[in-house]
Amino acid sequence: MFEFNAHLDADYINEIYGGDLTIVQIMFSSFLEESIPVWNEMYDKIVNKNYAEVGRLAHQIKPSFSMVGLTFLHPKIQAFEAFAKSGPAQGELLTQYQQIAVDVNHAKLVIEEELKRMEDYV
């Protein structure tokens, strides 16, 4: 059985995908191709003070973090979404984005690595 990186919630991944690594690979690829670019796009939206759009984008990608086993990030993204929708000061929103971005960037590397490992495994 494939063993996921300890950074990921392997129990959750195995529970929702039933150990089907093909589906997990599809979800990981989708996360990298769709959710990460949206996350990166939010920076420009913050700079341009389009906070409603930041909140909408955060809401859009929030479930994808759990779907790839990054369950610890879901509440952080949820809090970020709510904060963005509350009409915050730009500096405060940018600070919160940058703090979460550390986790998101690390998670991206883990997902990329796991995707390669799964391709070699199957």
Side-chain angles (χ1 to χ4, degrees):
M1 182 175 196
F2 187 83
E3 298 217 6
F4 291 97
N5 184 301
H7 194 69
L8 302 176
D9 187 342
D11 291 339
Y12 185 80
I13 293 171
N14 289 323
E15 179 183 325
I16 61 172
Y17 302 116
D20 187 337
L21 288 184
T22 302
I23 295 174
V24 176
Q25 286 175 296
I26 291 167
M27 294 306 295
F28 279 28
S29 292
S30 175
F31 176 79
L32 293 171
E33 294 167 8
E34 296 171 22
S35 297
I36 292 296
V38 170
W39 170 259
N40 293 333
E41 180 184 335
M42 280 193 264
Y43 179 83
D44 290 334
K45 303 295 183 199
I46 295 169
V47 169
N48 292 319
K49 298 183 179 181
N50 191 348
Y51 305 145
E53 183 67 2
V54 172
R56 188 191 72 74
L57 292 172
H59 181 77
Q60 175 187 325
I61 65 171
K62 179 175 52 181
S64 68
F65 288 90
S66 292
M67 299 302 285
V68 295
L70 297 167
T71 52
F72 76 97
L73 273 173
H74 187 273
K76 291 181 180 187
I77 301 296
Q78 188 167 5
F80 179 75
E81 172 193 351
F83 189 59
K85 290 178 176 178
S86 74
Q90 183 181 32
E92 292 175 5
L93 187 61
L94 194 54
T95 296
Q96 194 173 91
Y97 175 86
Q98 290 168 332
Q99 289 170 345
I100 298 169
V102 171
D103 288 332
V104 171
N105 291 333
H106 180 255
K108 176 184 176 265
L109 296 175
V110 169
I111 296 296
E112 288 171 340
E113 180 181 293
E114 291 301 274
L115 193 54
K116 288 177 186 155
R117 286 184 54 238
M118 279 187 278
E119 288 168 0
D120 293 342
Y121 184 83
V122 282

